[in-house]
Amino acid sequence: IRPVRVCYKLGVVPAAAAAAHLTAYEVTTAAPAAHAGSRHAGTHAAGQAVQPPQSSSNSSIGHFSTSAVAASGAVYPDAATTAECGAGAAVTRWSAVLSLIWHPSDSAVKPIVANRRIERLPEVNWDAKGLPFEPLSLQQMLNCDQGELEAFLTHIYRTIASSAPVKDKVNVMSYFESLCTDTNAANVLINSSLTVLFVRMLRNGKTPLLRIRLASVLGLLVRHATYIADELAGTQLVEILTEALKDKSERVRRRVMATLGELLFYIATQQQDSGSASVQDTSSAWGITPAIIAAVVRLLKPGEDEVCQHYAVKTIENICSQGGEWASKFAVQDTLV
């Protein structure tokens, strides 16, 4: 097994991407009605307050447009109403309707992974004595130079990739989770060969406990990373997560749906903010097909695990709050009914 190589030093991401990747969930605002911004800084200013939509059908503030309201089933004043009440009265009426169906909080986003309003997860414990290497704390790892970091991650890689018992791998993954909740660490770890290994093991693994830990680690990395290199798209991660939604274990499906939702939200906001590629090109690169969207929407049907459903709903809510073509992907009848 070759040593783990890290693409970026701790605390350093490519200069072109550094300014364009700010985790939306880390933004706080003083006013309760302030917009949390998109996941990345760019076209959405962090903490920018969202204004109510204007009454003119040609206007658009942020991602809101009256055409989007029309798509949701709202009724515009028709010619007869305008003739009867006068143009001014009709516009006033429509503005009153908008004030009832729109609120700035509608465009605020909250985490999908580790969202305590969806699910309170038990604390993840691990046995230091069961690790075949000397564990480092998160801060100790952040203080490592590149050589020390690569040597440390290689120990983890070799243990996970070995023929060790599943319980030992689960213990290592549980420890590794404690290293994934820092942005600097997440940026390095998700762009290392370790993530490629985790994706491959999630695709091939059969043991629920190990699949839970793998999906959980991947979800935390996506949740906290502000930069994910394009190479990860080549691992078919979106497709593998979608396939894992069929797992018989509801605990696996919960972790997988949370991770898939966080990843879809990241991809959507990254594409919107950078504008470097079209929605079609980005979807093609990551393998986001209509079948992927249908798999998420299918979880909304009665009879599915309610926690898994909540993760799916939160995914759709976060993506639709950003508007645009990504929101339209979920604007299907099954979402509404």
Side-chain angles (χ1 to χ4, degrees):
I1 299 174
R2 291 178 297 175
V4 172
R5 299 292 183 217
V6 295
C7 300
Y8 310 107
K9 294 181 179 180
L10 286 168
V12 178
V13 296
H21 294 80
L22 173 67
T23 306
Y25 310 137
E26 295 174 352
V27 175
T28 57
T29 55
H35 180 27
S38 71
R39 186 180 180 92
H40 315 291
T43 57
H44 310 86
Q48 175 184 357
V50 175
Q51 302 297 323
Q54 301 296 316
S55 58
S56 169
S57 61
N58 294 323
S59 67
S60 175
I61 294 184
H63 288 296
F64 180 90
S65 67
T66 50
S67 60
V69 177
S72 69
V75 180
Y76 285 86
D78 55 22
T81 303
T82 303
E84 179 182 351
C85 305
V91 169
T92 301
R93 264 184 158 181
W94 179 233
S95 296
V97 171
L98 286 179
S99 69
L100 294 175
I101 63 176
W102 167 261
H103 189 272
S105 63
D106 293 337
S107 59
V109 293
K110 298 293 183 183
I112 301 172
V113 168
N115 187 324
R116 293 189 177 184
R117 294 186 178 183
I118 298 178
E119 181 182 17
R120 288 191 174 273
L121 297 170
E123 184 178 353
V124 178
N125 297 312
W126 48 276
D127 180 15
K129 295 180 179 179
L131 297 176
F133 53 83
E134 184 66 29
L136 300 179
S137 68
L138 173 59
Q139 192 56 52
Q140 286 175 325
M141 187 187 76
L142 292 174
N143 291 335
C144 288
D145 60 34
Q146 185 155 337
E148 293 171 335
L149 178 62
E150 290 180 348
F152 171 66
L153 296 181
T154 297
H155 286 307
I156 297 176
Y157 188 106
R158 287 175 174 169
T159 303
I160 297 296
S162 71
S163 58
V166 171
K167 65 179 183 64
D168 291 344
K169 295 183 180 183
V170 169
N171 187 47
V172 174
M173 292 300 299
S174 297
Y175 159 69
F176 191 77
E177 256 184 74
S178 68
L179 307 177
C180 299
T181 57
D182 176 84
T183 295
N184 289 331
N187 283 336
V188 170
L189 297 175
I190 201 167
N191 294 300
S192 73
S193 53
L194 271 169
T195 300
V196 178
L197 173 65
F198 297 157
V199 173
R200 186 168 68 244
M201 292 180 65
L202 181 62
R203 179 186 60 196
N204 299 327
K206 303 299 181 184
T207 307
L209 282 178
L210 183 56
R211 284 166 68 85
I212 288 170
R213 296 274 65 84
L214 289 166
S216 184
V217 163
L218 289 170
L220 286 171
L221 289 176
V222 175
R223 157 71 179 81
H224 291 282
T226 56
Y227 178 73
I228 299 177
D230 295 338
E231 286 74 13
L232 188 61
T235 64
Q236 300 181 310
L237 177 55
V238 172
E239 179 183 343
I240 291 169
L241 288 169
T242 304
E243 185 65 26
L245 288 176
K246 301 175 183 178
D247 196 286
K248 294 180 180 180
S249 169
E250 65 181 26
R251 292 178 61 200
V252 173
R253 295 199 304 274
R254 290 173 181 179
R255 299 283 68 72
V256 167
M257 183 59 245
T259 300
L260 177 60
E262 199 73 72
L263 181 60
L264 291 175
F265 180 54
Y266 174 91
I267 295 168
T269 52
Q270 180 191 42
Q271 186 277 326
Q272 287 179 325
D273 289 344
S274 66
S276 58
S278 66
V279 172
Q280 183 177 356
D281 289 342
T282 302
S283 297
S284 177
W286 282 94
I288 303 175
T289 63
I292 303 294
I293 304 300
V296 175
V297 174
R298 196 178 301 123
L299 292 175
L300 306 181
K301 294 183 177 181
E304 294 288 346
D305 173 61
E306 291 184 355
V307 175
C308 198
Q309 284 182 323
H310 199 162
Y311 282 121
V313 169
K314 192 62 186 172
T315 298
I316 297 172
E317 178 188 13
N318 277 12
I319 293 175
C320 288
S321 72
Q322 308 301 298
E325 292 183 57
W326 290 101
S328 68
K329 289 179 179 289
F330 290 96
V332 295
Q333 185 175 1
D334 288 343
T335 304
L336 301 176
V337 300

Tab-separated table of all heavy atoms in Angstrom, residues 53 173 186 211:
chain	number	residue	atom	x	y	z
A	53	PRO	N	-39.854	40.110	-1.935
A	53	PRO	CA	-39.928	40.241	-3.380
A	53	PRO	C	-40.795	41.416	-3.797
A	53	PRO	O	-41.743	41.778	-3.109
A	53	PRO	CB	-40.551	38.907	-3.812
A	53	PRO	CG	-41.303	38.449	-2.618
A	53	PRO	CD	-40.502	38.902	-1.443
A	173	MET	N	-12.411	3.925	12.264
A	173	MET	CA	-13.286	4.911	11.632
A	173	MET	C	-13.950	5.807	12.682
A	173	MET	O	-14.145	7.006	12.462
A	173	MET	CB	-14.353	4.217	10.793
A	173	MET	CG	-13.824	3.492	9.557
A	173	MET	SD	-12.963	4.581	8.390
A	173	MET	CE	-14.259	5.726	7.956
A	186	ALA	N	-10.747	19.024	7.263
A	186	ALA	CA	-11.655	18.452	6.266
A	186	ALA	C	-11.180	18.740	4.845
A	186	ALA	O	-11.276	17.882	3.958
A	186	ALA	CB	-13.067	18.993	6.477
A	211	ARG	N	-20.522	0.361	7.278
A	211	ARG	CA	-21.124	1.268	6.301
A	211	ARG	C	-21.636	2.543	6.978
A	211	ARG	O	-21.560	3.639	6.404
A	211	ARG	CB	-22.258	0.561	5.553
A	211	ARG	CG	-21.746	-0.413	4.503
A	211	ARG	CD	-22.834	-1.349	4.009
A	211	ARG	NE	-23.870	-0.670	3.240
A	211	ARG	CZ	-23.791	-0.405	1.929
A	211	ARG	NH1	-22.693	-0.723	1.254
A	211	ARG	NH2	-24.792	0.170	1.300
